[in-house]
Amino acid sequence: MGRLYDIEREIAGQPADIRQPVRQELSRPKQEALHTWAKRLTRISAKGGLGAGLRYALGRWHAFNLFLDDGRRRQQRRLAGSQAHMPGLWIGVEKGV
């Protein structure tokens, strides 16, 4: 997760046509690895916050990844949405990205 923050900080302020290929090359593989990891954890009970948060995030995965294909978009601030308390999975957006 930290590397995703780093990538966005490195390209902050760059034009969209510069951010998009960097995201494709550097961020997409990390997002895919995160998706694989999250899918493996779906055996966790949905009654708890972590299980509910994972299911919520996986159900909205497409929206979470829109920034990868469009350099004008911002990275989503949160993977799991406001319903889940999973601060370790939040993705930050630097102002002006």
Side-chain angles (χ1 to χ4, degrees):
M1 293 304 298
R3 185 62 185 129
L4 288 170
Y5 288 112
D6 294 344
I7 293 166
E8 287 302 307
R9 275 192 291 273
E10 290 169 11
I11 61 176
Q14 296 293 324
D17 62 332
I18 299 296
R19 286 194 305 262
Q20 193 271 334
V22 171
R23 288 173 173 171
Q24 288 294 310
E25 180 182 344
L26 302 177
S27 297
R28 183 174 295 280
K30 290 169 183 15
Q31 292 284 91
E32 290 171 356
L34 180 61
H35 189 233
T36 300
W37 173 81
K39 286 191 305 186
R40 277 191 257 143
L41 295 178
T42 57
R43 289 182 248 151
I44 293 173
S45 172
K47 294 179 182 180
L50 180 60
L54 285 168
R55 283 169 184 73
Y56 181 89
L58 289 170
R60 288 152 183 79
W61 198 258
H62 174 73
F64 179 62
N65 286 288
L66 291 174
F67 82 102
L68 293 171
D69 296 319
D70 187 344
R72 298 169 298 171
R73 289 184 177 267
R74 289 183 175 206
Q75 196 175 31
Q76 292 293 312
R77 291 190 60 81
R78 292 176 287 167
L79 170 64
S82 61
Q83 296 176 10
H85 302 285
M86 299 168 51
L89 295 180
W90 288 26
I91 300 295
V93 176
E94 292 298 313
K95 204 169 193 176
V97 172

